[in-house]
């Protein structure tokens, strides 16, 4: 089951990647382009056979519309935080004295699944002054460019760094 | 404040200027090129940060964040200029992959350099990772001697 879904996704991706060029989008190819379909199918099947075991353990959750809805809600939220993050870094870089106060702090996450943790770590890396260094169970080590106080308070760190993403990611991935 | 009418006016003026210069650009093209320019600007900031910030980890911050948003801006600009053609769709796929892979590489690099023993800048406040995993904070203690050279 997992392998079939992975195969379909891979093949769809191949079709998008090999769309015919030109001024406008053409979804149907000329008949003589059949090798592209064949190569894509072979590669998709091989990928599914070899890497199906690494794929998500609940493939049916791909079909859950509520998760997709929350993912769509999450994108603008994430984009906004990312823009703020960049303006923040830009300010620090252009400031004559480079006002950084860096350190590695610990935070604690309630997310359970690996995918959700991976996305949390990625989101943290791309947003204000924080970068995930390591994940160990439910503890994340974060390099923070502007540590608040002395950075030993795990609860306060979690609130400042991860809380704004966790509520969305929990709805998308769990 | 900037509102949509003034933006349209700016874009119209830009179109006229481009027409005088012999280029045939639509409003959408102008917006696309502006987005590309902003993206390049963020890339530039990331590069400046790479030079100015003190240690590996701070530099990775600058490199990852600014360069991801900058390159994403360039991709979105290409999508706006090209529309939903095969090039535009490929650009947006590139953007998605960039979003997924850039943080992973930053994570791998920072963890690798911590484990390798690259010390953190002396102004670093706290190093929980070194304390928990590496037997002591990995913060450099004395001033570098060769900073003048």
């Amino acid at each position: 089951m997992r392998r079939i879904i992975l195969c379909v996704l891979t093949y769809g991706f191949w079709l998008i990647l090999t769309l015919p060029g030109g001024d406008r989008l053409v979804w149907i190819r000329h008949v003589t382009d059949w090798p592209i379909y064949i190569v894509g199918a072979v590669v998709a099947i091989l990928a599914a056979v070899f890497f199906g075991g690494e794929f998500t353990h609940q493939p049916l959750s791909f079909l859950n519309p509520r998760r997709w809805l929350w993912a769509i809600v999450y994108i603008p939220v994430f984009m906004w935080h990312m823009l703020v993050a960049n303006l923040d870094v830009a300010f620090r870089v252009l400031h004559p004295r480079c006002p950084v106060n860096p350190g590695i702090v610990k935070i604690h996450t309630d997310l359970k699944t690996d995918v959700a943790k991976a996305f949390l770590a990625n989101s943290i890396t791309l947003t204000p002054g924080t970068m995930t260094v390591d994940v160990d169970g439910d503890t994340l080590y974060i390099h923070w460019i502007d540590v608040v106080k002395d950075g030993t308070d795990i609860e306060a760190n979690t609130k400042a760094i991860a809380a704004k993403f966790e509520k969305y990611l929990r709805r998308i991935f769990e | 404040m900037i509102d949509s009418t003034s933006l349209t006016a700016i874009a119209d003026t830009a179109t006229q200027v481009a027409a005088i210069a012999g280029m045939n650009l639509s409003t959408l093209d102008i917006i696309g090129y502006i987005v590309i320019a902003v993206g390049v600007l963020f890339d530039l900031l990331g590069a400046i940060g790479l030079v100015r910030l003190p240690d590996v980890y701070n530099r990775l911050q600058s490199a990852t964040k600014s360069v991801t948003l900058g390159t994403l801006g360039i991709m979105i600009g290409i999508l706006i200029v090209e529309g939903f053609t095969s090039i535009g769709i490929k650009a947006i796929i590139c953007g998605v992959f960039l979003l997924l892979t850039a943080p992973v590489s930053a994570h791998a690099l920072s963890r690798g350099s911590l484990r390798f023993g690259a010390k953190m800048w002396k102004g670093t406040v706290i190093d929980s990772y070194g304390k928990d995993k590496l037997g002591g904070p990995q913060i450099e203690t004395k001033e570098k001697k060769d900073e003048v050279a």
Side-chain angles (χ1 to χ4, degrees), chain A residues 13-150:
Chain A
F13 186 67
W14 169 267
L15 290 184
I16 292 174
L17 263 187
T18 57
L19 278 176
D23 285 342
R24 66 199 171 81
L25 199 53
V26 189
W27 289 99
I28 312 289
R29 285 182 170 280
H30 198 265
V31 190
T32 52
D33 284 344
W34 60 268
I36 287 178
Y37 294 117
I38 306 289
V39 171
V42 170
V43 173
I45 289 168
L46 283 180
V49 168
F50 283 120
F51 300 110
E54 309 289 321
F55 198 46
T56 172
H57 290 276
Q58 310 139 324
L60 286 180
S61 57
F62 268 103
L63 304 175
N64 186 340
R66 195 185 291 145
R67 288 167 184 252
W68 284 101
L69 202 67
W70 278 109
I72 291 169
V73 173
Y74 180 59
I75 289 172
V77 174
F78 173 67
M79 284 294 172
W80 169 249
H81 283 300
M82 196 169 147
L83 199 65
V84 173
N86 277 280
L87 294 176
D88 180 65
V89 171
F91 169 74
R92 285 173 204 285
V93 165
L94 294 179
H95 194 284
R97 275 181 288 111
C98 275
V100 292
N101 185 28
I104 295 183
V105 300
K106 275 202 276 194
I107 70 165
H108 193 270
T109 176
D110 298 331
L111 298 173
K112 293 286 177 293
T113 61
D114 286 347
V115 188
K117 274 186 215 160
F119 267 80
L120 179 67
N122 276 2
S123 303
I124 286 173
T125 299
L126 287 174
T127 48
T130 50
M131 178 173 71
T132 311
V133 173
D134 203 355
V135 182
D136 182 11
D138 52 6
T139 305
L140 276 75
Y141 294 90
I142 309 286
H143 183 270
W144 200 355
I145 207 167
D146 187 20
V147 175
V148 174
K149 292 179 200 158
D150 60 353

Side-chain angles (χ1 to χ4, degrees), chain A residues 17 93 96 101-102 104 106, chain B residues 52 65 90 111 125-126 132:
Chain A
L17 263 187
V93 165
N101 185 28
I104 295 183
K106 275 202 276 194
Chain B
R52 287 204 66 195
K65 278 185 248 299
K90 275 165 202 162
R111 185 172 181 276
V125 181
I126 180 174
D132 286 6

Side-chain angles (χ1 to χ4, degrees), chain B:
Chain B
M1 275 304 287
I2 300 173
D3 54 55
S4 57
T5 41
S6 64
L7 274 182
T8 320
I10 292 171
D12 283 347
T13 319
T15 311
Q16 285 160 16
V17 171
I20 293 167
M23 288 182 286
N24 197 8
L25 299 175
S26 70
T27 312
L28 215 54
D29 285 347
I30 301 282
I31 295 172
Y33 286 127
I34 291 173
V35 174
I36 292 179
V38 172
V40 173
L41 188 71
F42 272 116
D43 271 358
L44 178 67
L45 285 173
I48 295 174
L50 206 59
V51 178
R52 287 204 66 195
L53 290 173
D55 68 1
V56 181
Y57 311 98
N58 288 306
R59 286 174 176 178
L60 268 176
Q61 294 251 14
S62 154
T64 316
K65 278 185 248 299
S66 306
V67 172
T68 308
L69 186 74
T71 315
L72 196 69
I74 296 175
M75 293 305 165
I76 292 173
I78 292 173
L79 178 72
I80 294 173
V81 171
E82 290 289 332
F84 280 94
T85 60
S86 64
I87 297 175
I89 286 181
K90 275 165 202 162
I92 214 65
I93 289 175
C94 280
V96 170
F97 271 88
L98 197 72
L99 271 182
L100 290 177
T101 53
V104 177
S105 65
H107 154 75
L109 280 171
S110 60
R111 185 172 181 276
S113 24
L114 261 181
R115 299 224 146 212
F116 177 70
K119 293 276 187 279
M120 301 175 74
W121 180 51
K122 61 182 161 45
T124 303
V125 181
I126 180 174
D127 180 12
S128 302
Y129 186 78
K131 210 161 68 185
D132 286 6
K133 296 283 175 67
L134 305 174
Q138 304 289 308
I139 302 172
E140 79 183 18
T141 43
K142 52 177 180 288
E143 195 74 38
K144 266 188 199 157
K145 295 249 165 52
D146 55 354
E147 209 150 53
V148 190

